[in-house]
Amino acid sequence: KQEVTQIPAALSVPEGENLVLNCSFTDSAIYNLQWFRQDPGKGLTSLLLIQSSQREQTSGRLNASLDKSSGRSTLYIAASQPGDSATYLCAVQGGSEKLVFGKGMKLTVNP
Amino acid sequence: NAGVTQTPKFQVLKTGQSMTLQCAQDMNHNSMYWYRQDPGMGLRLIYYSASEGTTDKGEVPNGYNVSRLNKREFSLRLESAAPSQTSVYFCASSKDSYSNQPQHFGDGTRLSIL
């Protein structure tokens, strides 16, 4: 059974720092890996999707990498801003149609 | 473009009551999903519909039923609500199950069962 882990569960940093968010998964036979953002009281917003054949994806200040063999992905946030404060979730899609989610990491960026 | 719309946004029920959560998407997506989100448990899949006319169980289907009414709409029904079903429910959709396209989420239904 696929398990997805995000450590730490919460992180508080000053504005301007470059951040690395970690995600690990137990079964390397994945179809893709997705990073989402969730603001309080809202649904999930897709940030980046990395296909199993890809090593990384970039969108603006965000860069996500994938190492299937080690079961790891990282989300890099450059020059963090207070508006980046949210919960970030990692999810993997394996051989079925289903996404398996990590429990998320709550990020607070302090001005 | 509304994306994924869920109704209602909030609901309080008494134990044993029934209700249906509604979900509609306007992106012409084939696949739709129902999740519940609980503190410390993360998001868990209840049911999904890979395409119109098909539904399958997810990780936590007990106590729920679903209907894929048409391509746009996917409803979740609680026949006899229990306090353990107090949660935030999210509906999501994607182009296809294996399209390497992300899932799009609604804003959720916050359900309390007394």
Side-chain angles (χ1 to χ4, degrees):
Chain A
K1 178 184 174 184
Q2 178 73 270
E3 293 183 2
V4 180
T5 303
Q6 295 183 250
I7 295 173
L11 184 65
S12 181
V13 298
E15 181 177 6
E17 283 202 1
N18 298 322
L19 305 174
V20 176
L21 282 60
N22 295 304
C23 172
S24 62
F25 47 94
T26 54
D27 185 349
S28 61
I30 66 170
Y31 191 69
N32 63 55
L33 183 143
Q34 302 183 34
W35 282 95
F36 294 88
R37 167 184 173 139
Q38 186 176 26
D39 294 293
K42 295 292 187 180
L44 280 67
T45 300
S46 176
L47 296 174
L48 291 164
L49 182 150
I50 310 177
Q51 299 178 34
S52 62
S53 59
Q54 297 174 325
R55 295 282 294 181
E56 64 179 313
Q57 282 286 337
T58 299
S59 176
R61 294 184 294 110
L62 304 180
N63 175 277
S65 66
L66 174 63
D67 184 342
K68 273 201 322 178
S69 61
S70 67
R72 295 178 187 274
S73 175
T74 60
L75 178 66
Y76 178 82
I77 303 176
S80 58
Q81 303 170 358
D84 295 328
S85 297
T87 296
Y88 291 81
L89 296 98
C90 166
V92 297
Q93 182 179 3
S96 71
E97 299 93 337
K98 309 167 197 176
L99 276 180
V100 178
F101 283 84
K103 293 180 181 179
M105 195 210 75
K106 184 177 181 180
L107 173 66
T108 303
V109 181
N110 300 299
Chain B
N1 192 342
V4 178
T5 302
Q6 292 184 237
T7 56
K9 295 188 183 304
F10 302 92
Q11 186 70 48
V12 179
L13 292 178
K14 295 181 179 178
T15 297
Q17 288 185 318
S18 62
M19 80 161 295
T20 300
L21 280 63
Q22 306 286 354
C23 174
Q25 52 90 10
D26 62 2
M27 295 172 283
N28 200 34
H29 285 170
N30 288 307
S31 301
M32 298 186 73
Y33 312 83
W34 276 105
Y35 295 91
R36 60 179 288 175
Q37 186 175 38
D38 302 289
M41 300 296 292
L43 271 157
R44 292 180 292 171
L45 183 65
I46 306 171
Y47 271 94
Y48 67 101
S49 172
S51 61
E52 186 179 358
T54 69
T55 60
D56 285 288
K57 296 178 180 179
E59 182 183 356
V60 288
N62 291 343
Y64 305 95
N65 286 301
V66 290
S67 295
R68 184 75 183 265
L69 304 170
N70 47 56
K71 190 172 185 178
R72 290 187 64 248
E73 299 173 288
F74 189 38
S75 63
L76 178 71
R77 183 163 178 83
L78 286 70
E79 290 291 350
S80 179
S84 62
Q85 294 178 305
T86 293
S87 187
V88 182
Y89 291 85
F90 289 101
C91 177
S93 70
S94 64
K95 182 180 178 183
D96 285 295
S97 300
Y98 290 106
S99 63
N100 271 320
Q101 296 292 315
Q103 290 187 14
H104 296 258
F105 283 75
D107 280 342
T109 294
R110 284 144 187 83
L111 182 60
S112 293
I113 299 163
L114 307 177

